[in-house]
Amino acid sequence: MVAAEPAVWLVFLALTGLAPMAASNGENGAMPRFVEKVPNITVTVGRDAMLPCTVEQLKGYKVAWVQVDTQTILTIHKQVITRNPRIALLHNDHRTWHLQLKNVRESDRGWYMCQVNTDPMRYRQGYVDVVVPPDIIDKDSSGDLTVREGQDVTLTCRAKGHPTPTIVWRREDNRDIVLDTENTDMVGVENGVGISSRRDGGSPSIVGGSSGSPPSLREVKGEVLELKKVSRLQMGSYLCIASNGVPPSISKRANLRVQFPPMAWVPQQLEGAYLGQELTIECHTEAFPKSINYWTNTNGDMIVAGERYEPIVADSSYKIYMKLRIKRVEPQDLGTFKCVAKNSLGETDGAIKVYEIEPPKSHLNPSPGGEEQPTEGNSSQDFETVTTPASDPQSKDRKKFENFLYPKGVNDLTDYHPGGKSFINPKDQDYRQSRRPGFSGSTGTGTGTLPKPFASILCASLALVASYTMSFNSNNILLKGRLL
C-alpha cells in the first residue's frame, strides 16, 4: 500500500489549494467545526457498518474520508474515489458526510479519518473493529480415536477467530473428566469444590464441583486434553468448544473408544428352585469391541430360545445385561449354567448353580361352617387339609364332654379362630382329633358306635363291681367259716 502515499499527498495539496479560495468567499473567522467525534464501532464480519461525520459551517471547504492504515483515499466531497464497490458515501444538506462499509471483511479493520481541507487541516478519526466468530481448524484437531485400555491419550483442538477463541473440553454426556485414573484421588469436598490429591506427591489441585455432589471435573480449558492410562470409564464423546464472545460458539466431537477383553460378574451365583417353578437367572458383562453373548446349559450346550428357555439381552454402550428365563424347572436344569462373552481380544464366562429346594407348603383357611378354603393363588390338592368342627348339636355335646373330661390349659390352642387363619399344627390336630369322643354322624375320628371315654368309664365301673363282688364273696366265706 506504499503506492497510495503520493495520491494522499496530491489530495492534501488539492484541498490546501482550495482552502484560500474557500476562505476568501466565506466569512472571516467562521471556520468549519465538527459537531461530534467519529465513534469507534465493532461489527461482525459480513455485516454493514457506518461511520458518521457531521461538520457545521463548512462553506466552501471540502470533506474527505481516508483509510489511515492503508493511506487510501476513499471519498472527496461528494465523489467516491476508491474503486471498492463496497464503499459508499451518504451526505445531506452540506452537513452530514457518512461513510458506509458494506459486507465488512477482516481487511476493513483499522482507523478511518474524516478531514476538512482547512489550514491547518482539521480531522476526526474512529476505529472499525471487525470481529469474527470462532471456527475450528479440522486439519489441526483430533478426530475419533481408538486405543487399548491403559494407554495415554492426547486430544488436540485448534480454532481461529477474532478475538482469539478460548477452548474448553467437556464430555458430551456431562459426566466428569478423569485426567489420570492412576495418580488422582478425590479426597473430599470443600465449600462445594472438589479437592483432588496426587499419589505422586504433587500439589493438590481444585476442580469444579457442585455443592452436595461428589467432587467432579466438569471441563478442562486449553487446546490440548491429556488423559493418562485411560480406562473404559473414560470411553465416550468429548466436545471441543471454541468461543470468543461472538456468536455462535462452535464445537467439534472427538469419540474416544477404549478396547478391552470381556469381563463378567454374576449378582447371584446360587439359585434355589423347586421342580415346576419359573426361574430367572442374571449375568452382567462388559467388553469392547462389542462381544457375542450366549448361555450354556448344565451339559455345556448353547441355549436357544424355545418352549422352556427365553434368553433376554439388553446393552448399553460397552455393558451388556443378560437374563435367562426358565419357564419350568425340570430335573435336568439342576446344575451349573454359564453366561459366555467373546470378542476379538478374548472371552470369559460366569457360572450360576441351580439347586433343588422343597416346594412351599401352605395351610387352608378354615371357615366358620367347617368348609375348606384354599389359600389364594394355590390349589387345594397341594396342601394338607385342616377341618374345623361344624356348629351342630352333636358337636356342642361333644365339646361339653371334652371340656369336662379334658380341661384346657394355658398352652392349649383353640380349634377355631373366627375370621382368621388357622395356626394349628397338623400333627397336633391329628392328636386332638384322636382325643375327641366319636358320635355317630359327627366329624370326629371315633368308630361311630361308642365313644372311647364311655368305654373307659364302663370298664372302670365293671372292674369296681367285680372287686366289690369278690370282696363280698370273700366276706361270706369267712362268715360261713366262723359259723361252721
Side-chain angles (χ1 to χ4, degrees), residues 411-429:
N411 293 326
D412 290 337
L413 296 175
T414 60
D415 293 339
Y416 170 63
H417 296 273
K421 295 183 178 179
S422 174
F423 297 93
I424 301 175
N425 191 314
K427 296 181 180 180
D428 297 337
Q429 178 70 11

Side-chain angles (χ1 to χ4, degrees), residues 177-192:
I177 297 178
V178 181
L179 299 178
D180 192 341
T181 58
E182 185 177 19
N183 293 327
T184 302
D185 282 336
M186 296 300 178
V187 297
V189 176
E190 180 177 315
N191 296 327

Side-chain angles (χ1 to χ4, degrees), residues 178-251:
V178 181
L179 299 178
D180 192 341
T181 58
E182 185 177 19
N183 293 327
T184 302
D185 282 336
M186 296 300 178
V187 297
V189 176
E190 180 177 315
N191 296 327
V193 178
I195 307 298
S196 65
S197 66
R198 301 283 298 180
R199 294 183 189 173
D200 54 10
S203 59
S205 59
I206 299 180
V207 295
S210 58
S211 179
S213 64
S216 59
L217 187 59
R218 290 296 180 186
E219 62 182 33
V220 176
K221 294 183 178 180
E223 294 183 343
V224 179
L225 175 63
E226 294 185 355
L227 305 176
K228 301 292 185 180
K229 300 186 183 303
V230 295
S231 71
R232 67 198 68 180
L233 299 178
Q234 293 166 283
M235 186 187 306
S237 296
Y238 290 79
L239 295 179
C240 156
I241 304 173
S243 58
N244 62 354
V246 182
S249 298
I250 192 170
S251 64

